[in-house]
Amino acid sequence: MKLSKNFSLVEMTKSQTALRRGIDNTPHPNQVEHLERLCEAVLQPVRDHFDRPVTITSGYRCAELCVAIGSKPTSQHAKGQAADFEVPGVSNMEVAQWIADNLEFDQLILECYTGGNTGWIHCSYVHEPRKELLTYDRTNGYRKGLSMPENSRRA
């Protein structure tokens, strides 16, 4: 099933952990609707702007899968409202900044970024978006805005 021009339900629900553990990661119809909105509002515009495939590393995760990977069963991933992704060959900071400047989103997190194409981008979409910008790394945790980790900055 196509969710947008370049995104399918299969890629948005694929999970190696679910396969290994025998977890059924099939979304309900309302979660599929949320995934369609996410693809149309965020992922497809990113694909179109950068004219490159977008690699989804984590899309929909059922509550059981969220728990299996150490996430919360109330995660936006479990609602079909979030995806983790990157655009190969494009800096994750550049992609995140473009989203922040051009698209509606609920939460945009630049995760584990140390420069270039490192880490990944978490982005969610809901009907009334907060436009919350965050950066996360294991040393400094979450902080507001898009930034390099403190320990990666050159003096």
Side-chain angles (χ1 to χ4, degrees):
M1 170 183 188
K2 285 279 199 183
L3 299 172
S4 72
K5 179 182 169 188
N6 295 104
F7 294 91
S8 70
L9 184 60
V10 169
E11 73 184 303
M12 294 298 291
T13 59
K14 183 179 177 181
S15 166
Q16 293 178 0
T17 301
L19 288 173
R20 276 194 304 271
R21 296 187 181 194
I23 297 171
D24 180 4
N25 196 42
T26 304
H28 296 290
N30 68 327
Q31 294 159 328
V32 173
E33 287 178 24
H34 292 158
L35 288 168
E36 285 176 321
R37 287 188 205 119
L38 173 66
C39 288
E40 291 169 2
V42 177
L43 299 174
Q44 191 64 52
V46 168
R47 169 70 169 84
D48 293 344
H49 175 75
F50 290 100
D51 196 27
R52 292 172 181 245
V54 173
T55 303
I56 307 298
T57 55
S58 184
Y60 172 75
R61 298 190 301 236
C62 68
E64 183 181 355
L65 180 56
C66 284
V67 171
I69 66 163
S71 182
K72 296 177 183 176
T74 57
S75 161
Q76 286 186 301
H77 286 275
K79 296 173 185 173
Q81 298 172 333
D84 297 340
F85 61 94
E86 62 182 319
V87 178
V90 181
S91 161
N92 285 330
M93 177 66 84
E94 180 181 348
V95 174
Q97 192 63 60
W98 185 82
I99 293 169
D101 293 343
N102 294 283
L103 301 178
E104 289 295 316
F105 59 89
D106 184 52
Q107 190 177 59
L108 176 63
I109 309 172
L110 184 62
E111 299 198 50
C112 300
Y113 178 76
T114 58
N117 205 214
T118 60
W120 62 93
I121 298 162
H122 166 97
C123 194
S124 62
Y125 179 82
V126 297
H127 179 66
E128 295 183 17
R130 297 175 283 175
K131 288 202 86 157
E132 180 179 38
L133 289 172
L134 298 168
T135 299
Y136 170 82
D137 67 77
R138 289 176 179 89
T139 302
N140 302 295
Y142 289 97
R143 49 197 189 281
K144 291 185 185 283
L146 300 175
S147 64
M148 290 285 289
E150 295 294 326
N151 57 355
S152 297
R153 293 186 182 153
R154 296 200 191 318

